[in-house]
Amino acid sequence: MNKKEKHPAPKRRLNKKHVLVAILLVILAAALTVFGFVAVKWWPVWKQNVFYFLFKEEPEEAELAPRPSFVLTPSPSPTPLPASTPELEPVGPIPTPTPTPVPTPVLDDWNFVDEDTEIHIEEVVREKVRFYVADVKVRDAAVIGNAFANDKFGDYHEKTSVMAQKHDAVFAMSGDYCGFRDEGIIIRDGVLYRDNPDWREVAVLFKDGTFTVYDKRQAPSGEELVAMGAWQSWAFGPYVLKDGVPRESFPDTPNLNRLNPRAALGIVEPNHFIFIVVDGRCEDSEGMTLVDLGKEFLDRGCTDAYNLDGGGSATMYFNGRLVNSPLGSNRQRAISDIIYIAP
C-alpha cells in the first residue's frame, strides 16, 4: 500500500489592514487612559471654567470664617514733665572715715607706749609688803625675748641690768636661772636648748601669744612643744594659778610657804601679760607667800600664773633703772638669764 506523502500546511500571511487597526486601537487606548487620568485630576478646574463660560456666574465658594475685628486703643498720652526740676537740697561734704588712732609714744619712769607695745608699771605698798606690777600688752609675742648671761646658754652669770642694756631692752625681769640646773625643758626664742623633763612644772609661751602651764611630767617633749609653736619655756615653778583657780597648797618646803621675795608672770588673754616682782627680807617689805601671789594674779584678771626664780634674784628693770630693791639694798645678783622686751 502506497503511503501518500504529507505536505506542510501553507503559512498564513498577516493582513496589513488588521495590523494597522490593532496599532490604532492601542494608540486609542493609551490616549483614553491618559485623557482619563488628566480629566480626573483637573476636573475641578474644568468644572469651574465650564460654569463660568456657560452661565457667566462665579461658582460658589466655601464660606470662610469671618476675620476677627480689632479695636485699636489709643495709647495714653505721656505725663508732661514739670516746667522746672525742683532743686535738690544741698548736701554737706561726705565724711571721711576716721583712721584708727595711733597711740602717742610715751616713755617715762613708769610707762612705755608705742603702736605695738604698752607697758604700765605700778608700785603697790601694803602692810609689810611692797611689790611692782608690770601690765604688758604686745601686738606680737615675739617681742618678749630671752637673754643669756654672756650671750651663752649654760652656767654663766650677769646682772639683770647689764643683760638688759646689751639688748636695748626697755623692760626686763629675772628669769628661771636655767644655768644653775641640768633639768627641765628650756626653749628660748623658739630654740630648744634642753629637753630633760623632771619633777618641775613647765610654763610655755607660744608664738600666738597664748600661755600654758603643764603639770609635772605631763608636758609634751621639747621637740613637740617647738613643733606646736613654743617661743619661750621656763622650768622653775611651781605654778600659782591655773585655769582661773589659785593654788591653795604647796609642798612643805620653806621657800615655798614662807614670806619671800618673788618674781612671777601670768596671762590675762593672748598677748596680754602681768609681771610681778615682790621685794622681801627687808624691814619695809617681808615678802609674799605663793598662795597670796596666786590670788594677786587672779585679782588682776589672769587665768594662769607661774613662779620664777625669786629670793635675791628677783629683779625688775625699766627704762635704764632698777624698779625694785633687790635684797633690800638695790644690790643685783648675777644670774644666768632674763626675760626682756625691746620694742
Side-chain angles (χ1 to χ4, degrees):
M1 181 174 182
N2 293 332
K3 294 180 179 180
K4 294 181 180 181
E5 293 181 0
K6 292 181 179 181
H7 296 281
K11 295 180 179 180
R12 294 181 180 180
R13 293 181 181 180
L14 295 175
N15 191 330
K16 292 182 179 180
K17 292 181 179 181
H18 294 168
V19 172
L20 181 60
V21 171
I23 291 174
L24 290 175
L25 290 174
V26 170
I27 292 173
L28 180 60
L32 289 174
T33 302
V34 172
F35 178 79
F37 176 79
V38 173
V40 171
K41 182 175 182 181
W42 292 95
W43 169 246
V45 177
W46 290 352
K47 179 181 177 182
Q48 180 178 347
N49 291 334
V50 169
F51 260 72
Y52 178 76
F53 285 110
L54 292 178
F55 304 103
K56 302 297 182 179
E57 294 180 358
E58 292 289 342
E60 295 182 0
E61 294 182 356
E63 290 187 1
L64 298 177
R67 292 183 180 180
S69 61
F70 297 93
V71 179
L72 297 178
T73 303
S75 60
S77 58
T79 304
L81 295 175
S84 60
T85 304
E87 296 183 0
L88 298 176
E89 295 183 2
V91 179
I94 298 175
T96 56
T98 304
T100 302
V102 176
T104 303
V106 174
L107 179 59
D108 56 33
D109 287 344
W110 301 98
N111 303 280
F112 173 85
V113 178
D114 69 5
E115 60 185 61
D116 296 318
T117 307
E118 287 188 34
I119 304 173
H120 303 284
I121 298 178
E122 174 190 1
E123 180 183 39
V124 181
V125 179
R126 296 175 185 162
E127 185 178 0
K128 295 186 178 181
V129 62
R130 180 182 63 250
F131 60 96
Y132 299 86
V133 180
D135 191 315
V136 177
K137 296 179 182 178
V138 297
R139 188 183 299 272
D140 185 354
V143 172
I144 300 176
N146 167 83
F148 292 125
N150 297 336
D151 296 323
K152 297 178 182 179
F153 174 68
D155 192 15
Y156 302 95
H157 308 89
E158 278 186 320
K159 295 179 179 180
T160 297
S161 60
V162 173
M163 288 186 274
Q165 291 167 4
K166 287 198 304 183
H167 291 271
D168 296 324
V170 67
F171 171 83
M173 192 179 77
S174 49
D176 64 352
Y177 213 150
C178 61
F180 183 72
R181 302 176 309 278
D182 295 326
E183 298 82 17
I185 299 174
I186 303 299
I187 300 169
R188 299 297 159 88
D189 297 342
V191 177
L192 178 62
Y193 286 90
R194 180 189 299 151
D195 193 1
N196 184 21
D198 64 350
W199 56 270
R200 297 176 186 270
E201 296 145 358
V202 179
V204 182
L205 170 64
F206 291 91
K207 294 177 182 178
D208 62 0
T210 57
F211 179 85
T212 302
V213 175
Y214 292 97
D215 288 325
K216 302 174 183 178
R217 299 187 181 277
Q218 293 183 357
S221 68
E223 292 182 354
E224 290 172 333
L225 287 171
V226 171
M228 292 164 59
W231 178 243
Q232 312 284 0
S233 74
W234 297 276
F236 194 91
Y239 69 82
V240 295
L241 176 68
K242 184 174 173 61
D243 298 328
V245 180
R247 196 164 179 171
E248 296 291 343
S249 62
F250 296 89
D252 188 16
T253 303
N255 289 337
L256 296 181
N257 293 291
R258 294 179 182 176
L259 298 170
N260 275 300
R262 304 291 181 185
L265 78 158
I267 184 170
V268 177
E269 60 184 357
N271 290 329
H272 183 186
F273 306 95
I274 300 292
F275 297 82
I276 295 179
V277 167
V278 182
D279 281 342
R281 300 177 187 171
C282 56
E283 292 183 1
D284 57 348
S285 182
E286 296 179 348
M288 187 178 289
T289 66
L290 291 180
V291 172
D292 290 338
L293 185 62
K295 292 178 180 179
E296 186 65 35
F297 276 105
L298 180 65
D299 291 343
R300 294 182 178 273
C302 291
T303 59
D304 297 89
Y306 185 80
N307 182 58
L308 295 169
D309 185 23
S313 302
T315 306
M316 182 179 288
Y317 167 97
F318 184 76
N319 193 20
R321 69 182 182 91
L322 285 179
V323 175
N324 69 315
S325 178
L327 299 174
S329 58
N330 291 322
R331 290 181 298 153
Q332 298 181 68
R333 174 184 289 173
I335 55 179
S336 65
D337 60 285
I338 62 170
I339 303 166
Y340 76 91
I341 296 175

